[in-house]
Amino acid sequence: MRRRELLLFGSVLLASAILAALAALSLRQWEASAQRHIRDQARDMATMAVEKIEMAVLKAEEEALARLQTAQRDRATLPQRMDAWKTETPMFEEVYLFDRGGVQRYPPSTAGPSPLDALRAEIPPPIWGRGGRRHVALGDRVALVAVLPGEPPLDSLLAVLVRSEPALRRDVLEKTLAGLEGQSVLAVLDRDNRAVYVPRPLDRTEHVLTVDFGETLPSWRLALYEPAGLSPRDAVRRQAWLFAAAFGLLLAVITLGLGATYRLVRRESEMIRLKSDFVANVSHDLKTPLALIRMFGETLEMNRVPDEATRREYYGVITRESERLSRLIDNVLDFSRIEEGRRRYVLAAGSIEPVIFEVMEAFRHPLTQLGFKVSVEVEPDLPEVDLDAEAMQQAVANLVDNAIKYSDARRHLTVTARRADDAVAVAVADEGIGIPPREQERIFDKFYRVGHSDTQGRRGSGVGLALVKHIVDAHGGRVGVESRVGEGSRFTIILPAAGSAPSVGAR
Ligand code: ADP
């Protein structure tokens, strides 16, 4: 039975563990794919912004070149027209015009190296034939080089335009990036990660990714930032944690449930075993006094007893054993009434003293015969208690019976009743075998016997103390035990003085 249960619980635990491992694995996969998805989205967003900026730059260049084409048609007023062009086109801070011979036509040549010298290696001569335009690095800056075709008799000119960074920032970057809604921040950085344009402060944000611009803006990059702790990536991470925590909790609940079920099943099977022990014990308990009564009865009947004293002794045995039998049957009957919820108590204010003396009287014979040294101390003027005298007699009798049963060589029985605050404490103490500390709680459970059915070789059914507890509870009192193995036990019943506690009349 035990092995089967263990196997069952083991397999449920194993299944839960496998389930947990699978869940953890799929959670990780989900988290990774969600992170990938979010990263792809972020990259798409940054790439789109890059494309938008590049398009805006190209468009501005397109328009600037178109106006330049118009401006250069009148060569006579070229410098004035070019000056006007420059004012109209703030996107470019420098503009140079060269003819095919390399002569600078605008601005009027100044001393020092011509920008063309720096560019010559980058400008392939076929540009004059094919036309078109290209971006060429000019130190840290980017120059736009384009041929402005001249309709004869005008010759074609080579235009070199250098962008103005503040104008680019103002007219392109700001317009494209500042309008972006949402929590993300897109910033333009240069090659050394210095900020070129940052729409919002970057503190409390974290860098997500960087995308390079194309040849339009070769030395710049676009970086995406998200608020620390609030980014979609953090949300995914949080969700994963939440899920893991919820799953962990579920597993803990399953494990606890299993543990509780396991304990329940164990208790249940223990109860079944105790019940079957109980039946065996009661039958045995009934048989012994019956056998004695029968044996002594038959002996007397056959007139085999020589003298009057022995005869009286035999009658005594018969009386004692019948009393024991009655007690046993009362116990079992009462116990079954309690189990069915039919046991009723009729409480009335009364003194505990007669209860104690009745019990002691009932046990006088066996106590004397077994050689017990008995001491009974009842404090005078004890307060009255709400009492079902018969039931309380049964409780005290059970304690006395146990004290006799579980005593060895030291046969001392002390019964006391004294005042304890607003209550009366009745104690039954022996110097018998004692009860191990870890058993002291359980002995009040029904059917429970220390060491189980063969409690130290003594007869018993395991319901005596359960009955005592039930009776005392019904009186609104409590029962406890102090005991040391090998030294003895003291059972104490505390009953509230009449009127001091709510009375529990019927159960
Ligand atoms: P039982 O019929 O076995 O005596 P009880 O319910 O009266 O059943 O007692 C439960 C168990 O408590 C006993 O089996 C015994 O092990 C222990 N016990 C009860 N009273 C005493 C005592 N005075 N001294 C030692 N052990 C005791």
Side-chain angles (χ1 to χ4, degrees):
M1 180 70 178
R2 204 71 184 269
R3 267 192 62 186
R4 259 185 34 213
E5 285 160 15
L6 277 174
L7 215 68
L8 185 74
F9 289 121
S11 31
V12 176
L13 265 183
L14 189 72
S16 310
I18 292 174
L19 201 70
L22 285 177
L25 203 73
S26 81
L27 189 66
R28 284 191 79 97
Q29 282 173 353
W30 171 79
E31 192 183 348
S33 86
Q35 297 288 20
R36 237 189 340 265
H37 180 66
I38 285 170
R39 209 180 159 74
D40 287 350
Q41 272 185 337
R43 186 171 293 284
D44 286 352
M45 182 176 165
T47 311
M48 264 167 61
V50 161
E51 281 169 6
K52 238 170 129 181
I53 292 170
E54 283 179 339
M55 297 251 300
V57 170
L58 287 175
K59 193 166 161 245
E61 287 179 353
E62 190 92 30
E63 287 169 6
L65 280 177
R67 281 202 304 278
L68 199 56
Q69 178 69 24
T70 318
Q72 59 94 34
R73 282 204 190 114
D74 188 351
R75 296 285 163 91
T77 55
L78 189 65
Q80 290 86 336
R81 283 177 166 262
M82 285 303 292
D83 288 348
W85 178 92
K86 273 187 84 174
T87 336
E88 278 169 26
T89 321
M91 178 80 135
F92 298 96
E93 59 186 5
E94 287 172 33
V95 56
Y96 303 93
L97 296 176
F98 298 98
D99 63 17
R100 199 182 269 252
V103 178
Q104 184 171 320
R105 302 281 281 275
Y106 182 85
S109 189
T110 46
S114 152
L116 194 60
D117 301 336
L119 294 171
R120 222 180 285 275
E122 305 275 348
I123 309 171
I127 197 169
W128 287 99
R130 279 207 309 267
R133 69 184 92 137
R134 51 176 34 226
H135 293 98
V136 178
L138 192 66
D140 264 359
R141 302 180 300 168
V142 181
L144 170 68
V145 181
V147 171
L148 306 173
E151 288 151 28
L154 296 179
D155 56 345
S156 299
L157 291 178
L158 184 75
V160 175
L161 281 67
V162 181
R163 291 183 202 129
S164 145
E165 204 180 292
L168 197 61
R169 203 179 292 141
R170 186 183 61 236
D171 295 340
V172 178
L173 301 183
E174 207 172 295
K175 280 192 185 136
T176 322
L177 299 180
L180 282 179
E181 294 292 325
Q183 297 176 328
S184 311
V185 183
L186 285 167
V188 178
L189 311 177
D190 67 8
R191 200 180 279 124
D192 302 319
N193 276 341
R194 277 189 306 253
V196 174
Y197 173 74
V198 182
R200 269 185 269 156
L202 290 178
D203 42 326
R204 275 185 288 158
T205 61
E206 48 189 55
H207 173 252
V208 180
L209 51 82
T210 309
V211 177
D212 287 337
F213 283 98
E215 54 114 31
T216 334
L217 298 159
S219 56
W220 287 359
R221 294 167 323 143
L222 186 78
L224 177 82
Y225 296 84
E226 265 156 9
L230 288 174
S231 65
R233 290 189 308 164
D234 293 315
V236 166
R237 217 169 292 148
R238 262 198 307 277
Q239 224 169 324
W241 265 108
L242 205 72
F243 184 77
F247 198 79
L249 201 71
L250 190 74
L251 275 185
V253 169
I254 290 178
T255 315
L256 282 178
L258 270 182
T261 316
Y262 181 68
R263 278 184 55 165
L264 213 72
V265 169
R266 270 192 61 182
R267 278 183 71 151
E268 206 53 40
S269 54
E270 165 102 344
M271 191 49 76
I272 291 169
R273 199 180 51 72
L274 288 177
K275 268 185 186 163
S276 82
D277 284 356
F278 167 73
V279 173
N281 290 334
V282 169
S283 319
H284 186 262
D285 258 15
L286 287 174
K287 256 163 62 187
T288 319
L290 274 177
L292 284 172
I293 291 169
R294 187 165 168 191
M295 187 178 88
F296 284 94
E298 280 173 2
T299 315
L300 286 167
E301 196 181 38
M302 287 175 201
N303 244 339
R304 291 222 192 105
V305 191
D307 56 285
E308 184 59 26
T310 320
R311 201 172 298 132
R312 286 174 71 92
E313 190 191 322
Y314 283 12
Y315 285 133
V317 171
I318 290 174
T319 316
R320 201 178 68 222
E321 290 304 313
S322 342
E323 277 168 5
R324 172 191 270 284
L325 211 52
S326 302
R327 268 203 309 275
L328 187 69
I329 290 167
D330 281 351
N331 265 1
V332 173
L333 286 181
D334 272 349
F335 178 73
S336 88
R337 274 189 211 114
I338 286 171
E339 286 290 274
E340 289 167 17
R342 285 191 298 113
R343 178 68 162 104
R344 296 272 178 276
Y345 298 94
V346 182
L347 303 185
S351 165
I352 195 74
E353 194 170 348
V355 172
I356 292 171
F357 284 110
E358 283 273 342
V359 174
M360 295 323 289
E361 182 55 29
F363 280 94
R364 196 160 52 85
H365 272 298
L367 284 169
T368 325
Q369 269 200 337
L370 294 167
F372 267 85
K373 209 176 129 209
V374 181
S375 117
V376 181
E377 294 160 24
V378 178
E379 238 177 52
D381 303 326
L382 282 176
E384 289 198 323
V385 289
D386 283 324
L387 204 60
D388 180 326
E390 208 175 303
M392 195 47 69
Q393 263 179 37
Q394 194 181 8
V396 179
N398 270 306
L399 295 183
V400 173
D401 194 32
N402 280 348
I404 298 173
K405 258 198 313 197
Y406 301 107
S407 284
D408 274 339
R410 276 175 302 138
R411 301 188 165 182
H412 290 186
L413 173 72
T414 313
V415 180
T416 58
R418 55 184 175 76
R419 198 190 184 109
D421 299 329
D422 239 1
V424 173
V426 179
V428 177
D430 60 55
E431 294 178 15
I433 60 174
I435 304 158
R438 69 196 142 77
E439 307 272 6
Q440 290 178 11
E441 282 255 312
R442 301 202 59 191
I443 52 173
F444 293 96
D445 292 349
K446 59 187 176 187
F447 307 132
Y448 192 81
R449 309 194 71 214
V450 176
H452 305 309
S453 58
D454 56 346
T455 289
Q456 294 102 349
R458 274 104 174 151
R459 296 183 300 174
S461 55
V463 298
L465 287 181
L467 211 63
V468 172
K469 184 163 166 32
H470 193 271
I471 294 169
V472 174
D473 283 351
H475 282 73
R478 58 183 199 277
V479 57
V481 62
E482 305 150 68
S483 182
R484 274 165 182 268
V485 173
E487 290 184 19
S489 313
R490 168 195 297 273
F491 287 82
T492 309
I493 293 174
I494 311 264
L495 297 173
S500 71
S503 85
V504 187
R507 281 275 172 113

